[in-house]
């Protein structure tokens, strides 16, 4: 079975630009979560979606937004990029959302110059 | 102060050693406790998932949760070079918001 897939794997953007990251969950999983992992730190929660509805939002500015599609895939958008947005962006899927165990993809490495 | 504190390491042990990894936390609302393993340039992989206090064993891995002390541990028996990775503890509360709070990880190297 295919795991969580994320695209692109690497991305380089300039300050002020906008970026869209994509995630396909494990087949049968209805929930997608997004996390930001800065080098040397643990992942930080950004969003969780379940059945296309936002279930939870972390302490990130409104420049960060996301959505979930009817096929349960998801996009994370970041506007007006800052140097501090450089990080590994991880998508995780789970069967039911909430506190279900997370299954992570390998992430998108975003570099903002 | 962070909600979840993890021994930063790095930790280096010989092959076959018993490894102990630990986290402390401050939020008494945490009910679910997880351990993830993260290899370089990969996403975290779930190793153990436990609810409330107690022990859980899976092969060479044992997870312990002591809610009274707000302390969790992961033990790895007969450690192998393939266990060399960063280990992340994570916790969540009893809500539907789906937020897991992670420690910053302990990097383990198992030397042959």
């Amino acid at each position: 079975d295919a795991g969580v897939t994320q695209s692109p794997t690497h991305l380089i953007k300039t300050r002020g630009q906008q970026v869209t990251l994509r995630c396909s969950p494990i087949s049968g999983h209805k929930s997608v979560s997004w996390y930001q992992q800065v080098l040397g730190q643990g992942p930080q929660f950004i969003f969780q979606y379940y059945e296309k509805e936002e279930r939870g939002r972390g302490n990130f500015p409104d420049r960060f937004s996301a959505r979930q599609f009817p096929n349960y895939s998801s996009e994370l958008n970041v506007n007006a990029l800052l140097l501090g947005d450089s990080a590994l962006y991880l998508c995780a899927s789970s069967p039911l959302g909430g506190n279900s165990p997370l299954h992570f993809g390998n992430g998108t490495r975003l570099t903002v110059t | 102060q962070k909600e979840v504190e993890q021994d930063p390491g790095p930790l280096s042990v010989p092959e076959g050693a018993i490894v102990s990894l630990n986290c402390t936390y401050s939020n008494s609302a945490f009910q679910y406790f997880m351990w993830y393993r993260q290899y370089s340039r990969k996403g975290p992989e779930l190793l153990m998932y436990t609810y409330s206090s107690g022990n859980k064993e899976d092969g060479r891995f044992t997870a312990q949760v002591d809610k009274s002390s707000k302390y969790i541990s992961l033990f790895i028996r007969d450690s192998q070079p393939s266990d060399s990775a960063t280990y992340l503890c994570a916790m969540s509360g009893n809500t539907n918001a789906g937020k897991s709070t992670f420690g910053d990880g302990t990097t383990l190297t198992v030397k042959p």
Side-chain angles (χ1 to χ4, degrees), chain A residues 10 33 35 37 40-45 48 55-57 88 90 97-107, chain B residues 2 32 34 36 38 41-46 49 88 92-105:
Chain A
H10 295 84
S33 301
Y35 284 78
Q37 187 176 25
Q41 297 183 16
Q44 297 290 316
F45 176 72
Q48 185 182 82
R55 279 282 186 88
R57 171 186 286 254
L88 181 67
L90 294 162
N99 294 298
S100 299
L102 298 174
H103 301 265
F104 283 90
N106 287 327
Chain B
K2 293 188 175 184
Y32 298 86
M34 289 73 72
Y36 291 86
Q38 187 172 25
R41 303 180 187 279
K42 298 289 188 182
E45 171 194 9
L46 180 68
Y49 176 84
L88 298 158
S92 64
N94 219 5
T95 74
N96 282 330
K99 175 183 176 181
S100 288
T101 301
F102 284 77
D104 285 337

Side-chain angles (χ1 to χ4, degrees), chain B residues 68-89:
Chain B
S68 63
S69 301
K70 295 189 176 67
Y71 188 87
I72 72 170
S73 299
L74 177 71
F75 297 95
I76 307 174
R77 290 183 300 280
D78 187 25
S79 55
Q80 302 295 310
S82 59
D83 295 328
S84 298
T86 296
Y87 289 80
L88 298 158
C89 64

